Amino acid sequence: MNKETGVLLLPSGEAQALRRRIPELPGWDLGRRGLCDLELLMQGAFAPLGGYMSREQYESVLAGMRLPDGRLWPLPICLALPEAVAGALEPGAELALNDREGFPLAVLRVEELWRPDRRAEALALFGTDDPSGHAGVRRFFEEPCDYYVSGPLLGLHLPVHHDFLDLRRSPDELRTSFRRMGWSRVLGTHPHRLLHRMDREVLLGAARRADANILLMPAADQPFLVDDDHFHKVRCHRAFFRNLPEGMAQLGLLPLASRGAGPREAMLQALALKSCGCTHFLVDASQGEPQPCNGAHAYPPRAAFELLERHADELGIEPVLAESLRYHSRRRCFLPAAQVRPEESVAPPTPEELDTLLEFGRDIPSWYVFPDVLEEMRRAHPPRHRQGFSVFFTGLSGAGKSTLAKILYVRFMEEGSRPVTLLDGDIVRRNLSSELGFSREHRVLNVTRIGFVASEIVKNRGIAICAPIAPYEEARRANRELISQYGGYVEIHVSTSLEVCERRDRKGLYAKARAGLKKGVTGVDDPFEPPQHADLSLDTSGLSPEEAARKVFLLLEQMGYVR
């Protein structure tokens, strides 16, 4: 480790020699959070850590937010491994740490392996081990972790980025930039949400109080190339940055993975920004929190600011509390909340209200958002009638799914406003899932494949019409979660009874099942789990195909996906 900068990258000669040994070493491909942690470790943003924490460091940090030598440190920085990988390691072994494509970035020299008490860790970090009331706890328990592994890191190469390279500057590069410009006082801010007009006033007011320039360092995950949300957020931050006074601020990206640990997380953000050369840190009332669960915040207001203020001298970075502002309807400006009477205050739209305004193409108050930020928001979130969406039919064989799907396909093709793809169950089985059988595992896999293809179509503003049997709720729920990230998901249960489906039996499927010639037929000897959240239920036994299709179109029109 470079003692001056904390950087963990090996000199080129040593790195080259280590690379030659990589093929002999076991390897582990890091996920998003692991890649973020590794990048900040190797860049020196997590100094004094020279690698992943030992068990003694881990337990000391959990117990009192300090390393064993007494220095403040709020959160464990540990490498979590599954038993299948950790079981093959022992102290003294070396483990290659790779990106998601298997490219080696560093080598870990293993010193310790241990099984952590994850519930005790959650209680220490979040104050609760209940995932239902805390989004950070939910994400914590979703991460697979059998062992923690500690040891020093030998850095070979920083994670490779292809996006926004001008904004991805290391702490050392930022400090050098500040010295070159003569910036001795720098206010850092680390937002996780989009910023608007009120945020500009808050930021400039804090900079005036601190007598400092501004470093705007929004969170930057390690995105897959298909992560539209990441690119959208950074474009919006660029648009916001253009509305700050010229020469007063710099914009960068900080690859600090969010844990949602509230005050502890705010302290880690402060330390990372300090490594970038910041002398001050803008702290809002809920700094470091995850998105509120059930409308409730996980931590008391100002908890993060009060923790940082108590330890400001020791941390070496001064917290600046974000001022609470309100929009004055008569004076048409932002004022401190205490100076605005309730009847004169105009509340900004909530995130949910903002989503609704965007979805239905409605006006957003000009006092709230900058025009160029709004342009980016509308670009990423067009109104529903211009979004992609998926109509997902589910029901027994013979219920009428394919007939309905074909009618919708033809109508949308006639309209011609968006590209349309039909993913009928039989078509998919022949072309995408021909090697799969009809076990529960294979049926779930077949439906999730359909969901993935549909999500790609929806992401590119197309219409995906899906008509598999899809008998299991777990696969349908996974598809809803995946596709809804990119556009609309409309689930229609074609609820025609088994008796009617057997009378139709155009394929002879039920006759073979009843005769014992075919096993695993849904509705006969394999269950169909009725949808719990269908947007429409249609029994086609008393409806013509055209009447049933009309009901679907009326629903789509009501939901705003068609005009």
Side-chain angles (χ1 to χ4, degrees), residues 183-480:
W183 290 11
S184 59
R185 297 168 69 86
V186 181
L187 173 72
T189 180
H190 182 59
H192 281 254
R193 57 174 179 81
L194 301 188
L195 302 177
H196 301 295
R197 288 185 185 272
M198 185 186 294
D199 300 297
R200 179 184 186 274
E201 300 308 310
V202 170
L203 184 55
L204 293 180
R208 284 192 294 270
R209 298 200 305 277
D211 188 24
N213 291 97
I214 296 167
L215 177 62
L216 181 61
M217 289 285 275
D221 203 342
Q222 293 283 339
F224 292 108
L225 294 180
V226 297
D227 284 352
D228 290 350
D229 191 53
H230 162 74
F231 295 96
H232 156 61
K233 284 181 178 176
V234 178
R235 289 196 303 269
C236 286
H237 283 305
R238 277 198 192 275
F240 174 83
F241 176 73
R242 290 194 293 269
N243 287 280
L244 294 176
E246 189 172 352
M248 185 178 181
Q250 287 199 40
L251 174 64
L253 295 176
L254 185 65
L256 181 58
S258 171
R259 286 144 166 98
R264 282 180 178 251
E265 179 148 328
M267 184 180 286
L268 187 65
Q269 294 170 2
L271 288 168
L273 287 170
K274 178 194 170 189
S275 78
C276 296
C278 294
T279 56
H280 297 73
F281 176 38
L282 180 64
V283 186
D284 67 29
S286 57
Q287 192 75 35
E289 279 202 42
Q291 289 293 323
C293 271
N294 306 318
H297 287 277
Y299 303 95
R302 298 177 50 146
F305 174 76
E306 290 168 1
L307 176 68
L308 293 172
E309 192 177 41
R310 283 199 304 274
H311 297 289
D313 290 341
E314 194 175 355
L315 288 169
I317 186 168
E318 184 178 337
V320 179
L321 184 63
E323 190 175 19
S324 178
L325 300 182
R326 296 288 184 273
Y327 184 72
H328 196 291
S329 58
R330 184 170 50 82
R331 296 172 64 178
R332 297 185 180 181
C333 64
F334 296 101
L335 294 173
Q339 298 178 21
V340 183
R341 294 197 299 269
E343 65 271 17
E344 297 173 327
S345 176
V346 181
T350 65
E352 294 76 18
E353 289 169 342
L354 193 58
D355 287 343
T356 299
L357 294 173
L358 289 169
E359 270 197 305
F360 291 93
R362 295 172 186 162
D363 290 338
I364 293 173
S366 59
W367 62 264
Y368 174 75
V369 62
F370 289 109
D372 41 356
V373 176
L374 179 58
E375 182 181 346
E376 290 293 348
M377 292 168 67
R378 290 205 185 281
R379 208 172 126 200
H381 302 288
R384 281 190 173 185
H385 67 273
R386 289 174 47 209
Q387 288 181 17
F389 66 92
S390 174
V391 181
F392 195 95
F393 292 101
T394 178
L396 297 172
S397 177
K401 304 181 304 297
S402 295
T403 302
L404 272 171
K406 288 170 186 173
I407 293 173
L408 257 66
Y409 175 77
V410 169
R411 297 279 176 84
F412 284 128
M413 289 294 288
E414 288 176 344
E415 183 191 64
S417 63
R418 282 164 282 193
V420 193
T421 302
L422 176 60
L423 297 170
D424 182 69
D426 291 337
I427 295 172
V428 170
R429 278 283 180 177
R430 283 196 303 270
N431 295 284
L432 189 63
S433 299
S434 58
E435 85 286 6
L436 298 183
F438 291 90
S439 65
R440 183 183 180 97
E441 180 186 5
H442 279 194
R443 283 176 165 165
V444 168
L445 180 56
N446 178 57
V447 172
T448 53
R449 284 180 182 178
I450 292 172
F452 172 74
V453 174
S455 74
E456 292 295 305
I457 294 164
V458 169
K459 183 192 308 176
N460 289 286
R461 311 281 166 85
I463 300 172
I465 303 171
C466 311
I469 292 174
Y472 307 127
E473 181 66 16
E474 66 170 297
R476 297 191 299 259
R477 183 174 61 248
N479 281 355
R480 180 184 289 275

Side-chain angles (χ1 to χ4, degrees), residues 513-526:
R514 297 300 184 190
L517 302 175
K518 192 172 184 64
K519 300 294 184 184
V521 173
T522 302
V524 179
D525 58 353
D526 198 76

Side-chain angles (χ1 to χ4, degrees), residues 74-93:
L75 289 170
I77 305 297
C78 296
L79 178 64
L81 292 178
E83 187 162 9
V85 177
L89 300 174
E90 58 184 20

